[in-house]
């Protein structure tokens, strides 16, 4: 149905080109067009829109029958092969001239992610994964950390619920986690946080109220690097809305902290 090897080469080419396009906009941040989305602090820049339309054009030319789900333009087409795109994950980091933003793309075949790529253009770091074949950073195989205790772990998370004005924020859980972990990082791109778990730079990541395009690629990255990904109860039914990703060794310890903060589903 699809030649996955060929698709992975195509994916690497277009994600690098998309990243290069974002870097052009990054030179003009003072004058970039910024629009408000549905909620107060949710914004989109012309770079987000341009990168998504570039990717849609490339995918449409190469695979005209495939479906595409992108953050900015929604879902188009219907096919067992679906490209899931976050054109700029970490728009706030991007807009503030920070390094930690990414282009994130996953290819799903019959509902299962087969390929993933996350590119951090300002760092020139390309994370890739293929189901059953491992995860890589710039071609070098990745493995999660071997941290055994949550007390020795560095975690990351995010707070979109606050931006969306939701009642259930991540703050009580954040306060509790801080009592158990070694330290915390907040880079601003969920896709990259997951890549950092895959590469062992971080031991874990949790976030709720997240969308599939934020994490589809990153989840495969963690799993292919030997880590574990679940919802807040340890299952998969709550994915991708709530995500706990760890090196596996500290997954149960993390769930013990998180579980009391799970609302009923
Ligand atoms: C956001 C980033 C952020 C996460 C938010 C996402 P965006 O994506 O991934 O790290 O905390 O949940 O919405 O809006 O920059 O594409
Ligand atoms: Ca995102
Ligand atoms: Ca985005």
């Amino acid at each position: 149905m699809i030649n996955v090897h060929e698709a992975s080469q195509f994916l690497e080419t277009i994600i690098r080109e998309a990243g290069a396009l974002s870097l052009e906009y990054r030179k003009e941040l003072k004058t970039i067009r910024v629009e408000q989305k549905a909620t107060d602090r949710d914004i989109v820049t012309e770079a987000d829109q341009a990168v998504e339309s570039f990717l849609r054009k490339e995918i449409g030319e190469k695979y005209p029958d495939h479906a595409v789900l992108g953050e900015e333009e929604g879902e188009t087409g219907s096919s067992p092969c679906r490209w899931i795109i976050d054109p700029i994950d970490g728009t706030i980091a991007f807009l503030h001239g920070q390094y930690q933003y990414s282009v994130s793309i996953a290819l799903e075949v019959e509902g299962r992610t087969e390929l993933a790529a996350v590119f951090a253009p300002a760092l020139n770091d390309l994370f890739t994964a293929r189901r059953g074949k491992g995860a890589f950073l710039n071609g070098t195989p990745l493995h999660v950390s071997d941290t055994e205790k949550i007390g020795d772990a560095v975690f990351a998370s995010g707070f979109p619920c606050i931006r969306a004005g939701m009642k259930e924020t991540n703050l009580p859980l954040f306060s509790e986690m801080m009592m158990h972990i070694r330290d915390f990082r907040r880079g601003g791109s969920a896709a990259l946080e997951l890549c950092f778990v895959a590469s062992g730079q971080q031991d874990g990541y949790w976030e709720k109220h997240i969308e599939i395009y934020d994490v589809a690629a990153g989840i495969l990255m963690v799993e292919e690097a030997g880590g574990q990904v679940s919802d807040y109860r340890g299952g998969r039914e709550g994915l991708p809305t709530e995500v706990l990703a760890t090196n596996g060794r500290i997954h149960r310890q993390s769930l013990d902290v998180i579980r009391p903060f799970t609302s009923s589903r």
Side-chain angles (χ1 to χ4, degrees), residues 103-168:
V103 182
S104 174
I105 306 176
L107 172 64
E108 208 181 67
V109 181
E110 284 168 346
R112 215 166 72 139
T113 308
E114 292 295 334
L115 284 180
V118 176
F119 184 45
L123 301 164
N124 200 23
D125 275 345
L126 176 60
F127 295 85
T128 53
R130 184 169 162 191
R131 183 169 294 280
K133 305 268 185 212
F136 303 85
L137 168 55
N138 300 327
T140 303
L142 293 181
H143 207 273
V144 292
S145 72
D146 53 13
T147 303
E148 299 275 359
K149 290 189 292 200
I150 191 170
D152 296 333
V154 174
F155 267 75
S157 185
F159 303 85
C161 36
I162 300 175
R163 253 165 51 200
M166 288 175 184
K167 267 212 187 101
E168 186 197 27

Side-chain angles (χ1 to χ4, degrees), residues 141-242:
L142 293 181
H143 207 273
V144 292
S145 72
D146 53 13
T147 303
E148 299 275 359
K149 290 189 292 200
I150 191 170
D152 296 333
V154 174
F155 267 75
S157 185
F159 303 85
C161 36
I162 300 175
R163 253 165 51 200
M166 288 175 184
K167 267 212 187 101
E168 186 197 27
T169 74
N170 191 13
L171 293 175
L173 172 55
F174 169 69
S175 304
E176 184 61 27
M177 279 296 268
M178 284 304 280
M179 305 306 287
H180 295 269
I181 62 181
R182 174 174 284 164
D183 208 350
F184 177 82
R185 298 286 179 269
R186 161 61 165 161
S189 161
L192 273 182
E193 303 299 6
L194 286 162
C195 289
F196 294 158
V197 174
S199 63
Q201 296 173 53
Q202 281 169 184
D203 309 288
Y205 159 80
W206 83 91
E207 190 162 342
K208 196 167 178 171
H209 303 298
I210 200 95
E211 302 287 342
I212 189 165
Y213 42 75
D214 297 309
V215 292
I219 287 176
L220 185 66
M221 217 70 74
V222 172
E223 291 179 335
E224 285 298 319
Q228 193 174 343
V229 182
S230 75
D231 61 22
Y232 282 9
R233 292 162 194 265
R236 295 192 72 88
E237 155 198 346
L239 290 173
T241 306
E242 52 187 39

